[in-house]
């Protein structure tokens, strides 16, 4: 259900949506064809009163005070169970996302392009997070000068401008005692051919660190069948190279065939492959070489998703028996379904228990089990879990004779783990060539890791 | 926002700003200004510091400048006179050797939004278009759009427009895209920038240089282009193919929109494009951002209208995650209903069954109603699940199940036997109005097959005095009347009591009128009553429903990639699911109310308009007819929204005056 509380007629029938975005960290609107306001609101937990932290009216065609309707609207929708990422008040639409304790709200009075607005709001979160580590009320308040500066560069008149954080850094005069520096600094990338890398970078020791990280998402039904599974992979770089180096990355062919869609029979199909803008796509399309001039420091070179049936690396069988008014008995078996040579580290199996359970007792064949009453969970931790092994955990809880009347949700069992030196998809870095005109020698380092993403197993109880 | 001690703070800040010791120490000066901005962003009105802040603008410190500009842009419109003082500093900054300072000054000059400054801004803006730094040109280009926005009626110099057109060839892609945006704004009256062949080809060739924001903009503007030949069309399509499968949902969606608009008369191409985007769209459904996921699912719903079978094999992608928000779950369930086929129906129903017991009652009810929808094609399996759910004896579940069954029997009368058996005992669990209304309707219509029907009604009739809901009373009247027709012996007495209560004691006019209507109807004889009350039934020959007919792409292509699908789809599916016209009354959608209320005014119109005996008898049948069409049409219970009410009121007032005038004229004659 969506916002049809008397304002349903407010979507203006503009035949063509503008693609400018209107986030409300309450800022002013961006976009010629759409008016954007951004707001960062922070709700006060105690009474739901909220305040606007930052507001930027980019275009001026939505009144700044419109944002005052946002929180009441949000609460009203929440109460009616119609919460939705688009809400309307009169002819103003609020598109919002929530990040920790903040709401980022874009406002527009046009029938704008929704996914673009959300993409921009998430871009904001990304940029702010890179600047402040944590994006939250405190960091905004402590840094609001930088926030204003960023908002100025990110969007003008409601249109996204520079959103690459590497480039943004050059425009932003960080607050502090850098008076002189701030005055004379000219962004080098303004005239540069390579917008994501400045000239004149120097390192004593030239190195590149490559991290290949794969996360596994699995959803297993209560009867043990895998409902969905996919792999989300990412290749991250930490570049510490001087000058303007030219890099070439070779991956194993199996994966590359998949990438280009040739030979679909034998290989996994990658969908949703994204490259950093530095990668020359034409080159990749013609001969499948990933060649690029890397951004300095940390960056994500590419990401991909493989939608395939993966054998869940850690398999869980559970029996949860609830004897009303007396006790709950839980038996969980965990099995490592990966190669014997590999070891999963820091495995955590999180088993839900009823909220009114008490007096826990545990027995484990390895590792530690702990009751976390505030989350209604038993967390079974296994520091090191070799492939092919099987472990058991039993738990026993008492239940009060007067039971909780409210219906309880049935959360799934979730599992966290990481397996180093291993990728599920089989992706491998064959080589990394580094060429710079000064001819220095540079070392590439590669690490592989597979970790749990959204890893859920539904239970019977 | 109220802020205690605001005035005191402002006074203190003013003292500090005008203190020469502070002014001479750059760091202290900057920190004081910082305090002003901080106070401002806390919602305190600091506009009183305007003149002090204008002075602070003349500085070499870029940070201080930026801070002051933030202040000035917020309050300039309140102080147009004083703002003139800033313009000289700003104009000087436009000549600064540092391109950052130049772009900053130019941007803020246009952000002041002061019409009185226009004459001072034009010259620096013109110079800005030719600046050697791209960041200045970017700002200057948009500056012209802002200027136009201040004076939408005034013409912008043709030379500037020409210059903007030529800047489409600027080496910087952002300048190029900003030119598009500015021209769209400036030439809004003429329908936006002229999209001809050379411009289109130029933009297409440079698409790869743009970031995703720029690409989306270009693709949107190009929707207006019509290729001159089929060859050209295909060239464009193949050039855009890689954007169609872009991993960035906004770009992919914008490309699809463009595909659909330029190949609108080649349905084969449109369908091929839809198939091509199904991969990226599915990927977007698994996006890490819930809002993106939501947008993707909503757009998939649009696609499914035209290509219902498109994503059948991928139904598992629409299974809901435990932690997903209710608004996504609801949409995913709507998609699942569309994707059901013989192969996957068991899996989908099994999954939906799991959602029926979700702690979020809205999700649970949406799941139940989804099962009901599937029941139109797979009745037995669905009824089995629905009946099973009644065993849980949870009020919100029972309510949703009974409503779903009511909707199901309307379209699939063959289900009624199972439904009648299942209803036994539900009344004990039902709490909410909608659920009880649904049960009453079923008892009225299928009363002869539900042995306990009279007892259930009797309990309610005995309690009618304490019944708060208007809807329940109305439904109770109708149900008792209907039951009386098929089981008179058991019902006669309680019907008498109910009618007596409603006519003699009930204070609500709607209920009274309805009761009176039934009372008089009974006087007309049992046959007449039967004709009226049982007149409208669904067609028993209705068979199993299979799918919906595919709709043409053109029906939704225009709203693809806008806000509309996000707020629209749910409403549509919802009203679809309410199969029987009789139930429209219970629907709390404002438009349904409006039409009901309007039909009510129709009745009155008939009454007041009757001026001859002949027409009078006509009108009495009309009254009946309209009350049959919507037996509860006198009910205003699902509140009309204030706007609707006002609208209706004014409309009727106008009608009355009109009629009054007519009458006067008549009398005079």
């Amino acid at each position: 259900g969506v916002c049809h509380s008397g304002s349903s007629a407010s979507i203006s029938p503009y035949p063509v949506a503008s693609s400018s975005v209107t986030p409300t960290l309450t800022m002013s609107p961006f976009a010629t064809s759409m008016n954007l306001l951004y707001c960062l609101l922070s709700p006060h937990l105690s009474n739901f009163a909220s305040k606007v932290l930052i507001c930027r009216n980019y275009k001026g065609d939505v009144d700044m005070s419109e944002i005052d309707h946002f929180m009441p609207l949000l609460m009203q929708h929440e109460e009616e169970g119609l919460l939705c990422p688009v809400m309307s008040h009169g002819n103003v639409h609020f598109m919002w996302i929530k990040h920790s304790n903040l709401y980022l709200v874009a406002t527009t009075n046009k029938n704008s392009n929704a996914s673009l607005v959300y993409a921009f709001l998430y871009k904001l979160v990304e940029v702010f997070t890179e600047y402040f580590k944590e994006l939250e009320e405190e960091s905004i308040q402590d840094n609001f000068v930088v926030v204003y500066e960023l908002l100025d560069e990110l969007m003008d008149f409601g249109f996204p401008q520079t959103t690459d954080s590497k480039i943004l850094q050059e425009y932003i005069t960080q607050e502090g005692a850098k008076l002189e520096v701030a005055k004379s600094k000219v962004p080098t990338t303004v005239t540069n051919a390579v917008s994501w890398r400045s000239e004149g970078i120097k390192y004593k020791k030239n190195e590149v660190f490559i991290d290949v990280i794969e996360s596994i998402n699995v959803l297993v039904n209560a009867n043990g069948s895998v409902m969905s599974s996919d792999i989300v992979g990412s290749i991250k770089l930490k570049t510490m190279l001087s000058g303007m180096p030219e890099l070439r990355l070779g991956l194993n062919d199996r994966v590359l065939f998949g990438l280009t869609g040739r030979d679909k029979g034998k290989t996994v199909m990658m969908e949703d492959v994204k490259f950093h803008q530095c990668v020359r796509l034409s080159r990749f399309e013609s001969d499948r070489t990933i060649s690029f001039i890397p951004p300095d420091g940390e960056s994500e070179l590419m990401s991909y998703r493989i939608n395939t049936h993966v054998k869940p690396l850690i398999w869980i069988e559970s029996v949860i028996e609830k004897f009303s008014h007396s006790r709950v008995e839980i038996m969980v078996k965990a099995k490592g379904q990966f190669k014997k040579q590999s070891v999963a580290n820091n495995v955590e199996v999180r088993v839900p228990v009823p909220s009114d359970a008490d007096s826990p007792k545990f027995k484990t064949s390895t590792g530690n089990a702990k009751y976390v009453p505030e989350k209604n969970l038993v967390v079974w931790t296994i520091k090191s879990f070799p492939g092919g092994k099987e472990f058991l955990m039993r738990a026993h809880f008492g239940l009060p004779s007067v039971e909780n009347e409210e219906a309880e949700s049935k959360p799934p069992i979730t599992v966290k783990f990481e397996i180093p030196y291993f990728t599920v998809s089989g992706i491998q870095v064959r080589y990394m060539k580094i060429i710079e005109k000064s001819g220095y020698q540079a070392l590439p380092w590669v690490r592989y890791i597979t970790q749990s993403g959204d890893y859920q197993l539904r239970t019977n109880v | 926002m109220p802020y205690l001690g605001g005035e005191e703070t402002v006074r203190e800040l003013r003292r500090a700003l005008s203190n020469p010791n502070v002014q001479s120490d750059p760091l202290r000066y900057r920190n004081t200004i910082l305090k002003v901005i901080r106070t401002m962003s806390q919602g305190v009105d600091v506009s009183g510091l305007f003149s002090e802040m204008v002075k602070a603008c003349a500085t070499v410190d870029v940070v201080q400048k930026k801070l002051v500009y933030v202040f000035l842009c917020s309050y300039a419109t309140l102080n147009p006179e004083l703002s003139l003082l800033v313009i000289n500093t700003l104009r000087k900054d436009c000549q600064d050797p540092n391109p950052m300072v130049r772009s900053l000054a130019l941007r803020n000059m246009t952000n002041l939004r002061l019409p009185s400054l226009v004459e001072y801004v034009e010259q620096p803006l013109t110079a800005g278009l030719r600046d050697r730094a791209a960041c200045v040109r970017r700002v200057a280009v948009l500056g012209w759009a802002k200027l136009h926005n201040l004076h939408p009626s005034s013409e912008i110099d043709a030379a500037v427009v020409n210059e903007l057109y030529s800047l489409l060839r600027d080496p910087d892609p952002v300048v190029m895209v900003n030119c598009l945006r500015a021209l769209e704004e400036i030439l809004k009256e003429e329908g936006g920038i002229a999209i001809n062949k050379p411009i289109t080809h130029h933009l297409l060739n440079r698409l790869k240089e743009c970031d995703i924001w720029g690409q989306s903009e270009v693709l949107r503007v190009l929707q207006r282009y019509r290729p001159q030949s089929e060859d050209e069309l295909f060239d464009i399509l193949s050039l855009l193919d890689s954007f169609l499968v872009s991993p960035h949902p906004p770009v992919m969606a914008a490309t699809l929109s463009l595909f659909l608009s330029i190949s609108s008369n080649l349905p084969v191409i449109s369908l091929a494009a839809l198939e091509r985007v199904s991969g990226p769209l599915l990927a977007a459904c698994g996006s890490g951002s819930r809002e993106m996921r939501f947008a993707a699912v909503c757009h998939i719903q649009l696609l499914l209208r035209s290509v219902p079978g498109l994503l059948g094999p991928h139904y598992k992608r629409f299974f809901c995650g435990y932690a997903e928000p209710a608004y996504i779950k609801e949409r995913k369930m709507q998609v699942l209903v569309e994707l059901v086929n013989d192969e996957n129906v068991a899996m989908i129903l099994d999954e939906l069954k799991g959602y029926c017991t979700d702690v979020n009652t809205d999700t649970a009810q949406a799941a139940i109603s989804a099962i009901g929808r599937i029941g139109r094609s797979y009745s037995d399996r669905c009824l089995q699940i629905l009946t099973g759910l009644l065993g849980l004896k949870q009020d919100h579940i029972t309510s949703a199940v009974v409503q779903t069954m009511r909707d199901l029997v309307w379209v699939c009368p063959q289900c009624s036997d199972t439904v009648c058996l299942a209803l036994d005992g539900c009344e004990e669990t039902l709490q909410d109005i909608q659920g009880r209304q649904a049960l009453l309707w079923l008892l009225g219509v299928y009363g002869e097959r539900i042995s306990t029907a009279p007892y259930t009604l009797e309990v309610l009739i005995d309690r009618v005095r304490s019944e708060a809901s208007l809807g329940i009373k109305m439904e109770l009247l109708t149900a008792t009347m209907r039951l009386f027709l098929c089981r008179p012996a058991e019902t006669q007495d309680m019907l008498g009591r109910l009618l007596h209560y409603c006519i003699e004691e009930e204070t609500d006019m709607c209920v009274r009128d309805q009761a009176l209507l039934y009372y008089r109807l009974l006087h007309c004889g049992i046959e007449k009553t039967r004709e009226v009350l049982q007149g409208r039934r669904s067609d028993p020959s209705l068979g199993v429903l299979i799918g919906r007919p595919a709709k043409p792409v053109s029906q939704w292509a225009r709203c693809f990639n806008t806000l509309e699908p996000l707020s629209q789809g749910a409403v549509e599916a919802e009203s679809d699911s309410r199969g029987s016209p009789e139930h429209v009354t219970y629907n709390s959608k404002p438009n349904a109310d409006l039409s009901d209320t309007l039909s009510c005014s129709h009745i009155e119109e008939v009454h007041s308009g009757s001026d001859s005996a002949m027409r009078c008898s006509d009108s009495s049948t009309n009254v009946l007819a309209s009350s049959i069409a919507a037996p509860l049409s006198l009910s205003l219970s699902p509140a009309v929204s204030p706007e609707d009410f006002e609208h209706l009121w004014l409309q009727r007032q106008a009608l009355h005056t009109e009629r009054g005038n007519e009458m006067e004229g008549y009398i005079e004659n």
Side-chain angles (χ1 to χ4, degrees):
Chain A
V2 187
C3 23
H4 30 68
S5 59
S7 49
S8 58
S10 58
I11 295 207
S12 50
Y14 279 78
V16 185
S18 106
S19 44
S20 46
V21 186
T22 313
T24 307
L25 280 198
T26 304
M27 314 172 210
S28 338
F30 39 119
T32 51
S33 33
M34 84 170 28
N35 199 1
L36 295 191
L37 262 176
Y38 287 106
C39 297
L40 274 181
L41 294 166
S42 146
H44 283 234
L45 293 176
S46 52
N47 53 3
F48 275 107
S50 68
K51 63 177 177 189
V52 176
L53 272 183
I54 290 271
C55 189
R56 188 84 178 70
N57 196 349
Y58 282 106
K59 203 175 172 205
D61 58 1
V62 171
D63 198 273
M64 292 286 251
S65 63
E66 285 291 342
I67 193 65
D68 296 342
H69 301 297
F70 175 74
M71 264 297 156
L73 210 57
L74 187 81
M75 280 154 61
Q76 182 199 336
H77 281 250
E78 202 158 18
E79 232 160 67
E80 292 167 4
L82 298 168
L83 197 63
C84 167
V86 191
M87 299 188 302
S88 306
H89 182 270
N91 60 355
V92 177
H93 311 294
F94 300 103
M95 279 170 269
W96 59 279
I97 64 171
K98 198 178 174 194
H99 183 87
S100 63
N101 58 350
L102 298 175
Y103 290 92
L104 285 83
V105 188
T107 61
T108 178
N109 54 12
K110 301 276 166 29
N111 188 9
S112 28
N113 175 346
S115 56
L116 197 71
V117 177
Y118 295 128
F120 186 84
L121 289 177
Y122 275 97
K123 190 75 201 179
L124 278 183
V125 172
E126 190 189 315
V127 170
F128 286 147
T129 312
E130 274 180 49
Y131 267 85
F132 313 133
K133 296 284 171 277
E134 296 285 332
L135 173 59
E136 53 189 16
E137 186 174 349
E138 293 70 33
S139 60
I140 294 285
Q141 273 174 342
D142 295 347
N143 299 287
F144 70 89
V145 174
V146 185
V147 173
Y148 274 119
E149 285 190 65
L150 284 170
L151 293 178
D152 255 359
E153 300 299 339
L154 281 161
M155 181 168 271
D156 196 7
F157 203 43
F159 295 113
Q161 299 290 308
T162 309
T163 56
D164 186 296
S165 49
K166 291 261 157 19
I167 306 174
L168 276 170
Q169 259 159 20
E170 310 209 346
Y171 286 95
I172 304 307
T173 52
Q174 297 269 8
E175 177 180 2
K178 294 198 277 179
L179 264 184
E180 290 315 305
V181 187
K183 199 183 94 190
S184 59
K185 196 174 158 201
V186 179
T188 53
T189 54
V190 172
T191 47
N192 227 353
V194 181
S195 64
W196 57 88
R197 187 180 176 95
S198 302
E199 281 177 34
I201 296 171
K202 279 210 181 79
Y203 284 98
K204 269 191 196 154
K205 194 175 178 190
N206 290 296
E207 289 174 308
V208 190
F209 298 88
I210 308 163
D211 276 329
V212 182
I213 303 164
E214 289 191 341
S215 305
I216 307 198
N217 301 325
V218 179
L219 176 62
V220 181
N221 209 352
N223 59 23
S225 58
V226 178
M227 306 299 279
S228 65
S229 61
D230 57 12
I231 305 167
V232 178
S234 161
I235 299 184
K236 291 187 174 161
L237 296 182
K238 189 176 178 190
T239 314
M240 300 162 80
L241 297 173
S242 316
M244 277 286 172
E246 181 65 50
L247 270 57
R248 246 192 309 154
L249 174 72
L251 299 175
N252 52 334
D253 275 8
R254 194 173 102 92
V255 173
L256 282 177
F257 275 124
L259 277 180
T260 49
R262 302 177 199 187
D263 192 0
K264 282 178 195 164
K266 287 181 207 157
T267 59
V268 280
M269 263 301 278
M270 281 194 179
E271 44 177 68
D272 203 7
V273 185
K274 287 181 197 170
F275 286 107
H276 188 276
Q277 59 160 330
C278 66
V279 175
R280 294 186 189 92
L281 292 178
S282 50
R283 187 80 195 273
F284 178 75
E285 273 155 26
S286 64
D287 62 3
R288 311 196 311 275
T289 317
I290 302 173
S291 76
F292 55 98
I293 296 173
D296 188 43
E298 290 178 25
S299 59
E300 183 175 61
L301 184 68
M302 68 180 280
S303 66
Y304 54 89
R305 172 192 294 265
I306 302 169
N307 196 261
T308 173
H309 193 96
V310 198
K311 197 183 206 182
L313 295 178
I314 294 199
W315 182 250
I316 302 286
E317 282 170 36
S318 66
V319 182
I320 303 180
E321 280 181 293
K322 191 172 169 183
F323 302 91
S324 280
H325 313 295
S326 88
R327 65 189 194 279
V328 181
E329 285 180 5
I330 298 170
M331 201 273 292
V332 177
K333 186 165 84 180
K335 190 178 175 196
Q337 305 195 110
F338 46 91
K339 280 188 225 136
K340 286 203 172 68
Q341 305 91 300
S342 292
V343 174
N345 292 332
N346 304 320
V347 179
E348 270 186 26
V349 183
R350 296 158 168 253
V351 187
V353 294
S355 59
D356 50 359
D358 55 41
S359 41
K361 282 178 217 150
F362 305 109
K363 213 171 169 185
T364 55
S365 62
T366 190
N368 281 314
K370 207 175 95 192
Y371 177 40
V372 189
E374 62 275 17
K375 288 185 179 157
N376 301 318
L377 282 179
V378 173
V379 180
W380 178 22
T381 315
I382 304 161
K383 283 277 164 243
S384 152
F385 195 137
K389 283 275 172 9
E390 223 177 80
F391 298 113
L392 266 178
M393 190 265 297
R394 282 173 194 280
H396 177 287
F397 285 88
L399 286 177
S401 49
V402 183
E403 268 184 69
N404 197 347
E405 285 290 312
E406 281 167 42
E408 288 207 8
S409 60
K410 299 189 291 182
I413 294 180
T414 54
V415 186
K416 284 183 185 265
F417 59 84
E418 45 185 56
I419 306 174
Y421 318 114
F422 169 76
T423 55
V424 210
S425 68
I427 193 172
Q428 269 181 4
V429 175
R430 283 278 159 78
Y431 59 83
M432 166 73 96
K433 288 189 180 143
I434 303 159
I435 302 155
E436 216 278 333
K437 56 175 185 270
S438 65
Y440 59 69
Q441 289 293 308
L443 285 175
W445 305 88
V446 189
R447 271 194 307 195
Y448 300 96
I449 193 162
T450 291
Q451 60 191 24
S452 56
D454 189 12
Y455 201 100
Q456 306 189 349
L457 303 101
R458 295 183 183 161
T459 63
N460 278 313
V461 174
Chain B
M1 240 167 280
Y3 185 84
L4 289 179
E7 280 173 40
E8 185 51 36
T9 320
V10 172
R11 226 171 299 151
E12 235 165 66
L13 286 171
R14 176 174 300 123
R15 255 198 303 277
L17 283 174
S18 16
N19 182 343
N21 293 331
V22 173
Q23 287 178 359
S24 58
D25 179 346
L27 264 182
R28 270 181 79 192
Y29 202 19
R30 188 207 274 179
N31 281 336
T32 315
I33 289 162
L34 200 64
K35 257 184 233 156
V36 175
I37 306 295
R38 178 163 291 157
T39 319
M40 181 181 95
S41 63
Q42 281 165 352
V44 179
D45 180 8
V46 287
S47 58
L49 301 172
F50 202 83
S51 52
E52 285 79 8
M53 291 296 274
V54 168
K55 275 179 216 143
C57 186
T59 169
V60 287
D61 177 9
V62 177
V63 178
Q64 181 168 331
K65 258 188 208 304
K66 284 192 176 181
L67 289 172
V68 175
Y69 289 154
V70 168
F71 177 92
L72 294 181
C73 290
S74 309
Y75 292 114
T77 39
L78 299 175
N79 296 283
E81 306 278 300
L82 284 172
S83 305
L84 276 173
L85 301 175
V86 203
I87 206 76
N88 275 332
T89 321
L90 284 169
R91 282 181 64 129
K92 212 178 82 210
D93 282 352
C94 287
Q95 320 268 332
D96 196 279
N98 182 342
M100 254 177 74
V101 175
R102 293 202 299 275
S103 68
L104 187 68
L106 208 51
R107 181 164 56 218
N108 284 288
M109 214 184 255
T110 45
N111 279 355
L112 291 174
R113 297 196 190 120
L114 286 177
S116 55
L117 295 188
V118 169
E119 51 179 316
Y120 305 100
V121 177
E122 283 188 347
Q123 188 271 327
L125 273 185
T126 313
L129 289 180
R130 290 166 207 157
D131 200 285
R132 67 196 147 77
C135 64
V136 181
R137 294 198 301 276
R138 292 174 182 181
V139 170
V141 167
L142 282 185
W144 283 107
K146 295 181 199 168
L147 219 57
H148 176 76
N149 206 31
L150 273 181
H151 279 298
S153 50
S154 72
E155 290 265 313
I156 286 230
D157 193 358
V160 172
V161 173
N162 282 340
E163 189 141 11
L164 288 174
Y165 268 111
S166 65
L167 276 174
L168 285 173
R169 308 211 172 255
D170 194 279
D172 182 80
V174 180
V175 173
M176 174 184 88
V177 176
N178 279 355
C179 275
L180 272 186
R181 294 160 166 162
L183 286 168
E184 285 282 279
E185 179 82 20
I186 294 168
L187 304 173
K188 210 161 31 185
E189 298 289 301
E190 303 162 29
I193 180 174
I195 294 295
N196 55 23
K197 192 169 170 179
I199 289 185
T200 304
H201 288 207
H202 169 72
L203 292 174
L204 284 171
N205 286 328
R206 294 196 55 191
L207 204 51
K208 283 196 172 162
E209 298 167 34
C210 301
D211 57 11
I212 63 164
W213 322 112
Q215 288 175 354
S216 308
E217 196 75 48
V218 170
L219 291 164
R220 181 185 67 79
V221 170
L222 289 183
Q223 282 185 27
R224 291 207 297 271
Y225 184 63
R226 290 287 164 266
Q228 287 154 9
S229 68
E230 213 156 82
D231 284 346
E232 192 195 353
L233 172 71
F234 285 114
D235 283 347
I236 293 177
L237 294 182
S238 45
L239 194 118
L240 287 174
D241 185 68
S242 63
F243 294 94
L244 196 56
V245 291
S246 161
H248 302 286
V251 176
M252 174 266 295
T255 316
L256 181 62
S257 263
L258 177 56
F259 261 65
L260 297 180
S261 76
I262 63 174
S263 60
S264 53
N265 42 14
L266 293 168
V268 187
I269 306 272
S270 303
L271 286 181
L274 296 186
E275 265 166 42
R276 190 102 168 91
V277 293
S278 60
L281 260 179
L282 279 172
C285 285
S287 153
S289 132
R290 40 167 67 175
E291 290 78 14
M292 292 298 239
R293 241 183 295 157
F294 177 67
V297 177
C298 293
H299 280 91
I300 280 178
Q301 286 186 295
L302 283 186
L303 257 65
L304 290 178
R305 289 194 204 167
S306 297
V307 210
L310 185 62
L311 300 170
H314 303 286
Y315 66 96
K316 282 188 179 172
R317 293 289 195 92
F318 299 94
F319 285 178
C320 304
Y322 170 70
E324 268 181 321
Y327 58 82
I328 295 185
K329 286 184 179 168
E330 207 169 299
R331 295 293 186 127
K332 280 189 167 178
M333 286 188 249
Q334 288 169 5
V335 171
L336 282 174
V337 168
E338 301 287 327
L339 298 184
V340 165
N341 59 35
D342 288 349
E343 278 93 65
N344 61 26
V345 62
M347 286 294 276
I348 290 184
L349 283 177
D350 209 38
E351 183 72 12
L352 284 172
K353 197 172 131 190
Y355 307 154
C356 292
T357 47
D358 199 290
V359 243
N360 182 325
T361 53
D362 294 308
T363 305
Q365 296 189 334
I368 292 167
S369 125
I371 292 176
R373 294 276 305 219
I374 297 174
R376 297 179 183 188
S377 323
Y378 300 91
S379 318
D380 293 345
R381 293 167 187 262
C382 294
L383 280 172
Q384 199 187 341
I385 297 177
L386 291 173
T387 314
L389 288 169
L390 289 175
L392 295 175
K393 304 235 174 262
Q394 297 262 350
D395 58 348
H396 70 276
I397 293 178
T398 307
S399 166
V401 170
V402 174
Q403 291 176 63
T404 302
M405 285 178 161
R406 172 198 64 193
D407 295 341
L408 187 59
V409 292
W410 182 264
V411 270
C412 304
Q414 74 275 14
C415 302
S416 56
D417 287 333
T418 322
V419 168
C420 288
L421 279 177
L423 288 178
D424 199 20
C426 292
E427 71 277 1
E428 286 156 24
T429 327
L430 281 175
Q431 304 274 331
D432 63 338
I433 293 168
Q434 290 84 354
R436 287 157 69 211
Q437 276 185 333
L439 179 66
L440 282 171
W441 186 86
L442 285 164
L443 290 176
V445 175
Y446 294 102
E448 44 191 331
R449 281 186 269 163
I450 306 171
S451 55
T452 56
Y455 307 102
T456 312
L457 288 184
E458 184 154 32
V459 174
L460 286 167
I461 290 170
D462 288 344
R463 283 191 217 140
V464 71
R465 237 168 277 273
S466 52
E467 177 58 60
S469 155
L470 201 62
I472 295 281
K473 288 184 202 169
M474 301 287 266
E475 194 72 74
L476 186 59
L477 268 171
T478 313
T480 318
M481 281 292 284
R482 282 184 172 149
L483 195 63
F484 171 69
L485 292 175
C486 55
R487 301 167 73 166
E490 292 156 287
T491 323
Q492 185 178 9
D493 183 53
M494 61 176 94
L495 175 64
R497 274 186 281 144
L498 181 62
L499 285 176
H500 182 267
Y501 166 79
C502 291
I503 294 169
E504 295 293 328
E505 291 180 45
E506 175 60 44
T507 49
D508 188 274
M509 274 305 171
C510 295
V511 180
R512 269 187 65 187
D513 279 355
Q514 186 85 349
L516 275 171
L517 176 75
Y518 285 147
Y519 180 70
R520 290 174 187 147
L521 191 58
L522 287 167
H523 276 291
C524 300
I526 202 76
E527 275 320 304
K528 198 79 193 161
T529 313
R530 203 181 293 278
E531 208 177 286
V532 170
L533 276 171
Q534 297 183 337
R536 211 175 153 89
R537 282 281 171 100
S538 58
D539 182 357
S541 65
L542 277 177
V544 167
L545 298 176
I546 300 158
R548 279 201 268 176
K551 293 176 181 164
V553 173
S554 57
Q555 206 184 52
W556 51 266
R558 294 186 111 201
C559 72
F560 192 83
N561 203 24
T562 66
L563 266 182
E564 247 170 284
L566 275 70
S567 35
Q568 204 182 38
V571 183
E572 196 172 288
E574 181 72 9
S575 57
D576 259 9
S577 74
R578 297 274 173 264
S580 58
E582 288 198 44
H583 303 143
V584 174
T585 332
Y586 315 124
N587 222 334
S588 56
K589 301 288 172 304
N591 34 357
D593 292 338
L594 197 59
S595 65
D596 282 346
T597 337
L598 281 172
S599 79
C600 173
S601 75
H602 161 72
I603 296 173
E604 204 191 78
E605 198 179 335
V606 173
H607 273 307
S608 55
S610 57
D611 50 0
S612 72
M614 190 56 207
R615 274 187 68 185
C616 200
S617 68
D618 266 3
S619 70
S620 69
T621 44
N622 277 351
V623 172
L624 292 186
S626 59
S627 72
I628 301 155
L632 297 187
S633 63
L634 293 177
S635 157
L636 291 171
S637 59
V640 178
S641 76
E643 296 93 302
D644 289 342
F645 179 78
E646 190 185 329
H647 178 68
L648 199 70
W649 180 257
L650 292 176
Q651 222 175 19
R652 296 184 62 182
Q653 206 176 22
L655 208 68
H656 278 283
T657 4
E658 210 173 277
R659 195 171 293 134
N661 292 343
E662 264 172 38
M663 282 295 263
E664 271 167 39
Y666 181 76
I667 292 165
E668 274 166 35
N669 286 343

